[in-house]
Amino acid sequence: MFKNNCLKFILLSLSFICLNVSAQKDIDTKVQKLLKKMTLEEKIGQMVQLNGFWDFTGPAPKDGDGAKWKYDALKSGKVGSVLNVRGVKNVRQLQEMVVNESRLGIPLIFGFDVIHGHKTVFPIPLAESASWDLDAMENAARIAAIEASAEGLNWTFAPMVDISRDARWGRVMEGAGEDPYLASEVAKARVKGFQGKDLSDDNTLAACAKHFVGYGFAESGKDYNAVDVGTSTLYNVLLPPFQACIDANVRTFMNAFNTLNGIPATGDDFLQRDILKGKWNFDGFVVSDWGSISEMQAHGFAKDLKDAGIIAANAGCDMDMESYAYVGHLKEAVEEGTVAEALIDDAAARILKVKFELGLFDDPYKYCDTKKEKELLYHPDHKKAALDMAKKSIVLLKNEGNLLPLDKKQKNIAIIGALADEDNSPLGNWRLGTDNNTAVSFLEGFKKYTDNYSYEKGVDIFLKAEDFLHEVEVNNTDKSGIDAAVALAKKSEVVIMVLGEHGYQSGEGRSRANLDLPGLQKKMLKEVYKVNKNIILVLMNGRPLTIDWEAENIPAILETWQLGTESGNAIAETLFGDNIPGGKLTMTFPRTEGQVPIYYNYLNTGRPGPIDLVFWSHYTDETNAPLYPFGYGLSYTDFAYDNMKVVNNGNNIQVSVNVKNTGNYDGSEVVQLYIRDKVASVSRPVKELKGFEKIFLKKGENKTVNFTLTEKELGFYNNRGDFVVEPGDFDVMVGTSSLEGLSDSFEWK
Ligand code: BGC
């Protein structure tokens, strides 16, 4: 019976692989056939992507985004893609124009930043990653794709898989944190979610691994800044999540704004040709970041826009997003021989291939169904999934004296903080697809449980300009709300302070040099603390904050990030114990900005200390330890680890541990496995995550969790970029965070 089933499975898999190979061959043949019919200008046209914030229904304005030349370019097949056009009516209209009026009728591919949900907004990706729940993250991306494709879109610029160790960088909100192993798993889940089972289905989006590569290592955390990394970090930390996307068959890549070791990533042939399209054999296409080809002039790498276009095309950047370098100069470059026509053919073929895979040639309007659009956007099932994801993303940082969960009959509660009344900020920064003010605010969620509360806004954290394009202005002077907040706290039994960053304070261009609670919030918190110490701090933020005073003094702290559409409901359920928090940080929280960059998988140095003398690797005015480490997060219940076993099978290592729920609630735990390769030809980190499992245990229940370590987990990339597995001694630790666990060791022969 078992044998029969095995045979069936193998035959089925083989026939699936054969079908796939033949479908791919079929597509390649079609692409080559089409390519032969195309003029040079039409091929270059496929490599051009234009922004679509223009009213193409009415008469074309004379300049700006609505310039007439754009219409002419679209109609004459000189544009392969647009971004920021969505809605079935708009997409259909533009697609019809291009398909009907251009000579070969090649459909456009419509791109958009579908980052964490679309209409229904999910938690910011950093928050989602704190769930360590890969199925939930895949499902979140799936739903985002269902909604976005119902609006006519077929390509998302996600997932962002940049690793970052620097919370000053505003885009940490868009990634999966600091660890390459976890980020790789998350990357695969998100790609699968967006692309679905078969890209040609009508509810899929081609995904895009971005930003290739190094963007999250911007020097001093300042967005767009130069990146300098050594080979070991490049191969072992930055590249793996991108390679994981390839494993998940991601169809597109986006290069990056930054220079990597002096070369702008957009013009780097080592990255795009040698690694991505060479070593990794990537057969999809690479799009530039917004204007990043043109920016190579400012980098001092290209002398003019034409030069920039030549460099980018030669380096392997297949599509130009909004630099106008390809549409303006590439034909001339080919004619004069500075770009080989074979490279144009290759780029156009890659783009056409993805369009074929999406099924756009079979039916350019397959994503244009108004009935579906009406039915699927904000679908109640999507909200349910967003609530589930939001609940899983919450991290309990502190809970002294079990202040949480709140008793549902608790009287006399004070709620303080402008963010408590926000139905916009919890949507985060990347929510271009949704409507403003569509999140359930903290207060709305809370009200569903009790009306035994009073609310004071306290200090304003923003004065104006709360939008995507402008910076949020922080109130650093108007203290007028503090008195009322203090007065309310004085007469209340419990105070819930809802503080943090506005959704628009993290994200692109939102680097911060100070990681404190912005504005006067901390001052207000300290004033309130003077009259009432029974405080639950609910944090809403897009990045780790330096909350050392809060961690020292405030008894309960709940990290709720920006949780999306269902934010208020998820938080209320958690405060009142209908959701037991189980999230774990995926980015280290520093005590002070001076510790940044800070991360758990650092190298030991030659002087790890501590020793009595000053000559070891440390600060004289601050400890080395983070405030909260990677992998950290509490629960309302407790988990005990014991009976760790390590069995060396020669070709793999089996590690098992028993985990018991010893507390008073059913709850989930993320069991984490870390290794340390003690001696290697390249120094290895003091700890590296190499496995995790999220388990759910009823109170009193226990479970044995098993891990298998193979060459894949035990090896690393040497400085030539080769993956090597070296014999020697390893430490292994299994536990509840990167800091705490049971440990053992083994020898790999
Ligand atoms: C961002 C990309 C984004 C693109 C298109 C750029 O500014 O860096 O991540 O996909 O804009 O909106």
Side-chain angles (χ1 to χ4, degrees), residues 83 113 157 171 210-211 254 257 289-290 321 508:
L83 75 156
D113 290 280
F157 307 123
R171 289 190 90 165
K210 72 186 188 185
H211 306 84
M254 184 185 288
F257 290 126
D289 202 344
W290 178 288
M321 181 196 285
E508 186 174 347

Side-chain angles (χ1 to χ4, degrees), residues 674-727:
Y674 298 86
I675 61 163
R676 178 177 187 179
D677 184 348
K678 296 185 77 173
V679 179
S681 57
V682 179
S683 285
R684 304 301 305 138
V686 293
K687 258 170 215 168
E688 291 178 88
L689 182 75
K690 289 296 175 180
F692 64 89
E693 193 177 325
K694 185 164 185 165
I695 55 170
F696 181 83
L697 292 178
K698 290 194 175 312
K699 55 183 172 182
E701 200 183 351
N702 68 78
K703 188 179 175 190
T704 301
V705 180
N706 298 299
F707 297 97
T708 305
L709 296 171
T710 62
E711 291 198 331
K712 192 169 161 254
E713 287 77 29
L714 301 178
F716 62 89
Y717 290 92
N718 66 18
N719 285 351
R720 282 186 302 277
D722 302 323
F723 189 76
V724 293
V725 189
E726 296 177 353

Side-chain angles (χ1 to χ4, degrees), residues 108-319:
L108 294 168
I109 175 169
F110 290 81
F112 196 72
D113 290 280
V114 182
I115 309 292
H116 51 109
H118 188 59
K119 283 287 179 194
T120 308
V121 177
F122 283 76
I124 55 169
L126 181 66
E128 282 192 6
S129 71
S131 73
W132 297 58
D133 189 326
L134 299 174
D135 291 342
M137 283 183 259
E138 182 176 333
N139 191 40
R142 184 84 290 279
I143 289 171
I146 289 172
E147 289 196 353
S149 58
E151 263 212 314
L153 295 163
N154 26 56
W155 178 21
T156 174
F157 307 123
M160 185 191 95
V161 301
D162 298 310
I163 298 289
S164 181
R165 299 164 163 178
D166 192 335
R168 293 172 299 181
W169 188 54
R171 289 190 90 165
V172 300
M173 53 78 62
E174 200 180 336
E178 73 193 36
D179 181 67
Y181 180 88
L182 177 63
S184 298
E185 295 302 307
V186 172
K188 280 190 269 185
R190 289 195 174 133
V191 170
K192 278 193 215 152
F194 287 129
Q195 297 194 163
K197 284 204 178 66
D198 183 342
L199 205 57
S200 71
D201 291 343
D202 61 5
N203 62 6
T204 58
L205 300 176
C208 180
K210 72 186 188 185
H211 306 84
F212 196 62
V213 58
Y215 184 43
F217 266 50
E219 201 171 84
S220 63
K222 201 162 53 172
D223 212 356
Y224 319 118
N225 209 355
V227 175
D228 272 290
V229 284
T231 25
S232 183
T233 305
L234 177 65
Y235 286 115
N236 290 294
V237 180
L238 301 188
L239 289 176
F242 286 96
Q243 207 172 354
C245 290
I246 302 262
D247 294 343
N249 197 25
V250 71
R251 300 318 293 134
T252 74
F253 261 59
M254 184 185 288
N255 54 35
F257 290 126
N258 56 282
T259 52
L260 179 81
N261 302 331
I263 314 251
T266 302
D268 193 330
D269 57 348
F270 166 68
L271 292 176
Q272 297 171 102
R273 292 236 181 258
D274 296 355
I275 294 192
L276 180 59
K277 294 177 177 173
K279 208 169 172 183
W280 293 353
N281 228 345
F282 174 61
D283 65 350
F285 70 88
V286 181
V287 63
S288 78
D289 202 344
W290 178 288
S292 68
I293 297 179
S294 163
E295 287 177 17
M296 287 199 285
Q297 298 169 81
H299 278 299
F301 197 71
K303 66 175 191 293
D304 52 29
L305 189 59
K306 178 177 166 190
D307 193 25
I310 293 169
I311 292 171
N314 282 325
C317 173
D318 302 308
M319 189 182 275

